[in-house]
Amino acid sequence: MKKIKKVVFPVAGLGTRFLPATKASPKEMLPIVDKPLIQYAAEEAASAGIKELIFIIGRTKNAIIDHFDSAPELENELIDKNKKSLLRLVRKIVPKNIDCFFVRQNKPSGLGHAIHCAKNIIKDEPFAVILADDLIKSKTPCLKQLIDVYYKKKSTVLALEKIEKSETDKYGIVEYHSREDNLFKIKSIIEKPSPKKAKTNLAVVGRYIFTPEIFSKIEKVKPGKGKEIQITDAIDGLMKDEAVHGYIFEGKRFDCGSKLGYLKATVEYALEHDELSKDFINYLKKLKI
Ligand code: UTP
C-alpha cells in the first residue's frame, strides 16, 4: 500500500470573514500567541510523518513563501547577538528532511479547484489535505489519526465533528450507511444544507485523506454553491465508485477563520503557553467580566 507522504495546504482563499486583517495579508499567517496558523498546520503534518508540503497560494499570500524560506539577514543578526534559542526557533520552521512546494491558484475558484492545482505534484498517490484555519488541539495529531484510519480502510477519510444542528449551513454534512465507534461509512455528503434539510449534524472539517481518484472527480464538478468548484461535490462523485469513510477525531477544533474561533484559540493556547500562562491567568483574574 502506498504511504501518505504529501500534504496539500489550500491557502488561496480570500478570508472575507476576517477583513480588514486579510485584505493584504494571508489569514493563515495570523498568529495564535506567537506562531502563525500555517506553522501549526505544517508541524501537525510533520509529526504525522509527511515529507512534502504543497502550498496552494493566491495573490496576497507571498508572506507564506517567505515564512518557509531561510532568512539569512535575520539569522546573521541572531548569530552576532548570540541569541541561540531564537536562532533555533527560526531555523526549525521547516522541519528537517521536509520539502516545500508552492503552486499558484490563479483565482479563488473554490476548495475543489485549489486541491486540483496540486495534481501534477501528487501524481498517482494518496495524499492529505489540511485547512490551516481549522486549528486542532489533540493528544495524537489529528492528521495522524486520519492516516491510521486510511491504512486500515484504504479509502478516502474525512475528519468529522458533531456540530450544533443550527450550524449545518456552514459545513459539508454527511449521512452514513454504518458506524463502528467513531468511524463511519459515508452514504452522502451535501454542501451547507439548512438545518431543516440536514440529515445529520456530522460536519466535515479541515482534514482529509484522499485517494488520487479525487482529481478526476474534481474535473467533472460544475461550479456549485458560491459559483465555486466544491470539494464536497467531488467527494459525492467519488462515493459512487469507492468507499469513503468519516472519522470523529479526538481533539478540539478552533475555527480560526472566524473572529470568535480565533479569539477562543488565542485564549486557550495562551493559557498553556510556557512563558505566558502564569501572567495571563493573573491578568484574566483581575478582569471583572
Ligand atoms: P473558506 O471557506 O474558509 O474560504 O475556505 P476563505 O476564502 O478562506 O474564507 P472566507 O470564508 O471568505 O472568510 C476553506 C479553505 O480553502 C481555501 C482557503 O484558503 C481555506 O483554507 N481555499 C478556498 C482556497 O485555497 N482556494 C479557494 O478558491 C477557496
Side-chain angles (χ1 to χ4, degrees):
M1 190 177 29
K2 285 184 178 161
K3 290 246 181 245
I4 312 276
K5 286 182 296 199
K6 299 177 182 175
V7 65
V8 177
F9 300 108
V11 290
L14 295 177
T16 53
R17 284 171 296 156
F18 231 115
L19 282 167
T22 47
K23 180 167 178 267
S25 325
K27 78 173 160 188
E28 296 79 8
M29 285 302 292
L30 289 170
I32 300 297
V33 186
D34 50 5
K35 208 193 285 183
L37 284 166
I38 192 66
Q39 194 181 331
Y40 285 96
E43 288 174 5
E44 180 180 332
S47 57
I50 296 287
K51 298 291 175 216
E52 293 180 26
L53 312 181
I54 304 161
F55 300 84
I56 311 300
I57 56 165
R59 279 189 57 234
T60 58
K61 308 287 181 158
N62 289 342
I64 295 177
I65 306 180
D66 293 339
H67 187 70
F68 288 96
D69 199 356
S70 60
E73 297 89 351
L74 174 64
E75 288 184 24
N76 288 339
E77 190 74 14
L78 294 173
I79 292 166
D80 286 350
K81 298 202 165 132
N82 203 24
K83 295 194 170 170
K84 286 187 185 142
S85 67
L86 286 179
L87 186 65
R88 269 197 302 277
L89 192 91
V90 167
R91 284 184 169 164
K92 70 171 194 204
I93 289 177
V94 178
K96 273 216 171 85
N97 306 321
I98 288 196
D99 292 319
C100 295
F101 299 86
F102 298 90
V103 181
R104 191 88 170 227
Q105 186 188 19
N106 56 6
K107 76 178 201 243
S109 309
L111 177 56
H113 181 265
I115 293 172
H116 192 268
C117 293
K119 183 182 172 189
N120 290 340
I121 302 182
I122 302 281
K123 300 196 176 83
D124 191 24
E125 285 176 38
F127 64 100
V129 173
I130 294 185
L131 306 187
D133 52 348
D134 269 345
L135 178 63
I136 297 178
K137 193 141 90 58
S138 56
K139 280 197 208 100
T140 305
C142 179
L143 195 68
K144 166 91 172 57
Q145 297 178 46
L146 294 199
I147 290 176
D148 288 345
V149 174
Y150 171 81
Y151 289 142
K152 270 189 217 136
K153 295 290 172 186
K154 302 174 188 63
S155 76
T156 287
V157 188
L158 316 173
L160 297 180
E161 182 179 307
K162 272 191 192 150
I163 55 153
E164 294 294 329
K165 198 77 195 249
S166 58
E167 304 259 280
T168 56
D169 55 1
K170 295 186 182 146
Y171 297 90
I173 300 292
V174 300
E175 211 187 338
Y176 56 92
H177 288 294
S178 57
R179 80 177 279 184
E180 295 163 46
D181 299 325
N182 284 348
L183 182 63
F184 298 77
K185 184 154 185 236
I186 306 297
K187 181 174 164 192
S188 72
I189 180 166
I190 298 180
E191 179 69 6
K192 301 183 176 152
S194 67
K196 263 194 186 158
K197 285 198 179 143
K199 299 262 172 59
T200 70
N201 64 341
L202 285 176
V204 178
V205 299
R207 304 287 182 281
Y208 313 75
I209 307 295
F210 285 117
T211 58
E213 284 69 29
I214 193 69
F215 292 122
S216 63
K217 300 302 172 190
I218 297 173
E219 282 153 24
K220 294 201 179 93
V221 168
K222 302 237 159 60
K225 281 228 160 119
K227 296 193 185 136
E228 293 188 340
I229 305 291
Q230 300 287 352
I231 193 64
T232 305
D233 296 336
I235 297 170
D236 185 55
L238 190 67
M239 257 179 314
K240 302 202 164 79
D241 292 349
E242 46 182 76
V244 170
H245 288 86
Y247 184 67
I248 301 184
F249 57 92
E250 168 279 313
K252 183 166 182 181
R253 180 183 67 97
F254 298 91
D255 174 10
C256 296
S258 81
K259 290 169 197 169
L260 186 60
Y262 177 80
L263 287 175
K264 288 179 186 173
T266 301
V267 171
E268 293 211 20
Y269 278 69
L271 288 174
E272 289 186 3
H273 193 278
D274 289 345
E275 290 161 25
L276 294 174
S277 69
K278 218 168 120 223
D279 290 345
F280 189 53
I281 290 169
N282 286 337
Y283 169 74
L284 290 178
K285 280 184 183 156
K286 281 187 205 140
L287 280 182
K288 296 195 176 81
I289 302 168

